[in-house]
């Protein structure tokens, strides 16, 4: 039998997040959690796949996400599904999480909860897009949603403040906030019709994608990045001139509330977003130095979504941050946070030192220090060499002398400074050092 030596690789558009990057990812997500919780958001954990119909109805059947980018499979492949007589249904890997949050809100009757329901989530999303820098088929988001009875502009502003506060805490300061209002069911249909009419007049100057969108989804033409189309698009009618009184007032108040919080923004009339559920407020955060995939956060209001999915009339607003892109931006800015790495490498020598080494290692780990204990005896020089390569801050030397005197020798690898310490002093020293370095 010939052995099959085929090697496997991660599928195009997916990737492994390896150490030390994974520590940066964890820190990023933890900073998001801490920030969101300080605004009284709590976590919701959602399924990775849902009925395809949920996404089609929420995001819109004519959007690229639903039309071209979903990973969909037959529910009939699942033996239980057959029994449930839903074999003809399809399921899809989630391309985003807002639809799932709205579904969960309805399913669990969350409208009966006190105040606004404020939820956040973190996890992978899936879209079959053309992979490039900052664009993957499995990518990660941290996001948050507010659902309830009120659409007060103060909610929108606080959500935006939370995003910008988080970016500041994550060291992402070279960002630009874009905001817009795309009206509601009252005023947007008339605007879309006007836009369509105007687009039909200039169709000859547009490329095939935009031409197709004139009929399917004219707002999306505004999103076009094609250089030739820009002069044409700049002359198109603008939604801000066609908002109804209520939407115009909501937008004016939102801008006031954002300014009240000392947040700089740019109004961006072409910010229509690629998902159909949005009403009124839309916003995006752009980061410097990421090339074409430079949106690190997208969000907006979606007041009709819960009702569209069969729930009670409910207002909603939220956002999602693209973790992959935000991390790229942190890495490129060279302002990586100082993350605690390997604290101590236990360099033990001679079998009599081994039980002491095992013992002190456990105590250091109990004190939340990262400790590496070589499982086999090593020569002293080799041991220190490995400690260095692993990036340990300290080598803890335990040999015959130390065992006999009941002390430890702690060597700081950066400058080779050594101290002899009792167990008590060692623990106290390393713990205070850890607190200082975090
Ligand atoms: P979105 O604009 O489609 O909105 O995605 C939000 C962010 O996810 C983007 O700004 C980007 O950073 C990241 N992202 C999207 N696609 C990819 C990809 N293929 N590769 C890497 N990163 C990507 C939503 O998903 C809405 N659910 C946001 C929202 C929540 N609106 C209201 N509530």
């Amino acid at each position: 039998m010939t052995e099959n030596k085929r090697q496997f690789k991660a599928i195009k558009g997916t990737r492994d997040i390896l150490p030390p990057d994974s520590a940066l990812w964890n820190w990023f997500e933890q900073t998001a959690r801490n920030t969101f919780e300080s605004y009284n958001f709590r976590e919701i954990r959602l399924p990775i796949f849902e009925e395809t119909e949920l996404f089609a109805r929420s995001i819109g059947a004519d959007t690229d996400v639903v039309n071209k980018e979903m990973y969909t499979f037959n529910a009939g492949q699942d033996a239980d599904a057959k029994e449930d007589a839903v074999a003809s249904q399809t399921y899809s890997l989630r391309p985003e999480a807002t639809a799932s949050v709205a579904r969960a809100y309805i399913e669990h009757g969350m409208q009966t909860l006190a105040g606004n329901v404020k939820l956040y989530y973190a996890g992978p999303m899936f879209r079959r897009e053309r992979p490039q820098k900052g664009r993957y088929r499995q990518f990660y988001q941290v996001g948050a949603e507010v659902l309830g009875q009120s659409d007060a502009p103060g909610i929108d502003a606080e959500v935006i403040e939370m995003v910008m506060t988080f970016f500041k805490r994550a060291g992402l300061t070279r960002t630009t906030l874009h905001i817009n209002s795309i009206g509601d069911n009252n005023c947007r249909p008339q605007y879309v019709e006007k836009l369509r009419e105007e687009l039909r007049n200039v169709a000859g100057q547009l490329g095939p994608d935009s031409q197709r969108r004139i009929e399917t989804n004219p707002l999306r033409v505004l999103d076009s990045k094609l250089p030739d189309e820009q002069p044409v698009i700049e002359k198109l009618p603008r939604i801000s001139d066609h908002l109804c009184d209520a939407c115009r007032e909501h937008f004016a108040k939102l801008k006031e509330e954002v300014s009240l919080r000392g947040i700089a923004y740019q109004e961006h009339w072409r910010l229509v977003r690629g998902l159909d559920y949005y009403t009124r407020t839309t916003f995006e955060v752009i980061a410097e130095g990421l090339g074409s995939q430079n949106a690190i956060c997208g969000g907006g209001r979606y007041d009709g979504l819960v009702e569209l999915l069969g729930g009670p009339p409910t207002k909603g607003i939220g956002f999602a941050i693209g973790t992959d892109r935000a991390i790229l931006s942190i890495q490129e800015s060279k302002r990586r946070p100082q993350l605690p790495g390997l604290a101590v490498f236990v360099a033990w020598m001679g079998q009599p030192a081994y039980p002491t080494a095992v013992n002190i290692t456990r105590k250091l780990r109990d004190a939340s220090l990262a400790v590496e204990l070589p499982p086999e005896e090593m020569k002293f020089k080799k041991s220190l060499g490995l400690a260095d390569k692993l990036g340990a801050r300290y080598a803890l030397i335990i040999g015959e002398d130390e065992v006999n005197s009941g002390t430890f020798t702690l060597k700081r690898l950066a400058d080779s400074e050594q101290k002899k310490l009792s167990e008590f002093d060692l623990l106290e020293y390393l713990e205070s050092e850890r607190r200082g370095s975090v």
Side-chain angles (χ1 to χ4, degrees):
M1 220 169 72
T2 54
E3 207 183 329
N4 186 351
K5 290 261 178 75
R6 185 180 156 223
Q7 287 191 3
F8 294 93
K9 290 210 160 114
I11 294 166
K12 189 174 160 192
T14 73
R15 60 206 181 116
D16 305 305
I17 309 298
L18 305 175
D21 288 352
S22 48
L24 183 62
W25 279 66
N26 285 336
W27 170 84
F28 181 85
E29 286 173 352
Q30 193 52 47
T31 305
R33 288 169 191 279
N34 294 345
T35 308
F36 299 170
E37 285 181 11
S38 72
Y39 282 78
N40 196 29
F41 282 70
R42 287 183 299 163
E43 183 171 11
I44 181 167
R45 294 198 179 218
L46 298 158
I48 300 277
F49 60 100
E50 300 261 8
E51 282 182 48
T52 305
E53 184 61 20
L54 170 69
F55 299 120
R57 261 211 253 169
S58 310
I59 299 168
D62 282 334
T63 57
D64 284 352
V65 171
V66 168
N67 234 339
K68 305 191 205 150
E69 297 169 2
M70 285 209 295
Y71 287 94
T72 296
F73 53 97
N74 194 339
Q77 290 162 349
D78 170 350
D80 290 343
K82 260 193 207 115
E83 279 166 28
D84 294 348
V86 289
S88 62
Q89 253 181 26
T90 62
Y91 298 156
S92 294
L93 295 185
R94 61 182 188 190
E96 59 109 52
T98 309
S100 301
V101 172
R103 194 250 326 124
Y105 180 85
I106 300 166
E107 188 171 338
H108 304 287
M110 291 193 221
Q111 72 275 9
T112 60
L113 298 177
N116 285 321
V117 175
K118 298 160 79 174
L119 300 167
Y120 74 85
Y121 50 84
M125 310 289 158
F126 305 85
R127 296 184 195 176
R128 197 195 303 266
E129 293 193 83
R130 196 170 46 77
Q132 64 180 91
K133 182 183 165 196
R135 189 157 76 191
Y136 310 97
R137 290 180 167 178
Q138 176 172 335
F139 62 98
Y140 294 78
Q141 288 185 341
V142 289
E145 314 288 347
V146 183
L147 293 134
Q149 290 313 303
S150 168
D151 61 359
I155 300 174
D156 309 35
E158 196 178 68
V159 162
I160 290 172
E161 179 192 308
M162 182 166 89
V163 170
M164 300 315 281
T165 300
F166 164 60
F167 282 143
K168 204 156 130 198
R169 290 186 191 173
L172 282 161
T173 46
R174 288 159 69 209
T175 56
T176 310
L177 167 68
H178 289 159
I179 62 174
N180 191 24
S181 172
I182 58 166
D184 62 7
N185 284 340
N186 205 358
C187 52
R188 192 172 45 212
Q190 284 105 295
Y191 167 72
V192 169
E193 239 359 272
K194 199 168 177 58
L195 184 65
R196 186 178 274 132
E197 266 168 42
E198 198 50 42
L199 282 167
R200 283 184 184 137
N201 292 335
V202 294
Q205 300 168 57
L206 299 170
D209 277 347
S210 291
Q211 283 188 4
R212 194 167 24 83
R213 288 181 175 139
I214 296 175
E215 301 312 320
T216 59
N217 201 344
L219 278 179
R220 295 287 287 146
V221 176
L222 304 183
D223 247 2
S224 159
K225 306 259 174 348
L226 292 180
D228 289 355
E229 294 185 344
Q230 303 311 309
V232 184
I233 294 172
E234 281 303 314
K235 288 195 210 100
L236 292 169
R238 302 184 171 204
I239 181 96
S240 50
D241 299 327
H242 296 85
L243 293 177
C244 60
D245 289 346
C247 286
R248 190 172 319 113
E249 211 174 288
H250 190 274
F251 191 34
K253 197 89 192 37
L254 161 73
K255 287 184 278 187
E256 234 178 81
E257 289 255 9
V258 171
S259 298
L260 171 73
R261 289 164 170 79
I263 299 165
Y265 65 87
Q266 284 178 19
E267 218 173 309
H268 189 45
W269 75 274
R270 285 170 59 179
L271 179 60
V272 290
R273 314 265 305 122
L275 317 169
D276 278 0
Y277 49 60
Y278 290 112
T279 52
R280 294 188 166 171
T281 310
T282 55
F283 63 96
E284 261 179 18
V285 180
I286 306 298
E288 261 181 38
L290 284 183
S292 64
Q293 303 306 310
N294 60 357
I296 55 170
C297 172
R301 186 161 271 295
Y302 46 86
D303 292 338
L305 178 60
V306 168
E307 218 172 339
L308 184 75
L309 296 175
T314 305
K315 315 287 188 193
I317 181 164
F319 64 86
I321 289 164
T323 305
D324 307 74
R325 289 182 195 175
I327 297 268
L328 270 176
S329 187
I330 292 174
Q331 287 169 334
E332 280 178 21
S333 73
K334 308 236 176 333
R335 290 177 51 193
R336 273 169 172 260
Q338 274 293 317
L339 299 175
L342 179 59
V344 179
F345 184 96
V346 181
W348 60 276
M349 283 151 295
Q351 283 307 321
Y354 187 59
T356 311
V358 170
N359 226 316
I360 193 67
T361 298
R362 204 188 53 242
K363 287 183 181 159
L364 293 171
R365 286 174 177 158
D366 281 347
S368 297
L369 290 154
V371 184
E372 177 70 13
L373 172 71
E376 287 169 311
E377 190 173 357
M378 293 170 79
K379 291 242 156 51
F380 186 58
K381 236 178 135 181
K382 209 168 157 206
S383 199
L384 285 192
L386 182 57
D388 213 33
K389 282 191 196 133
L390 293 178
R393 276 203 305 286
Y394 293 97
L396 184 66
I397 300 163
I398 315 172
E400 208 183 321
D401 280 359
E402 283 80 10
V403 174
N404 289 339
S405 64
T407 56
F408 296 90
T409 302
L410 187 69
K411 180 179 171 117
R412 188 160 58 201
L413 293 172
D415 57 7
S416 295
E417 193 194 90
Q418 275 189 203
K419 325 181 182 301
K420 263 199 184 304
L421 298 165
S422 68
E423 179 181 309
F424 182 87
D425 289 343
L426 174 75
L427 282 166
E428 196 168 79
Y429 177 80
L430 286 175
E431 269 191 77
S432 64
E433 204 255 12
R434 180 180 63 82
R435 275 195 299 272
S437 73
V438 172

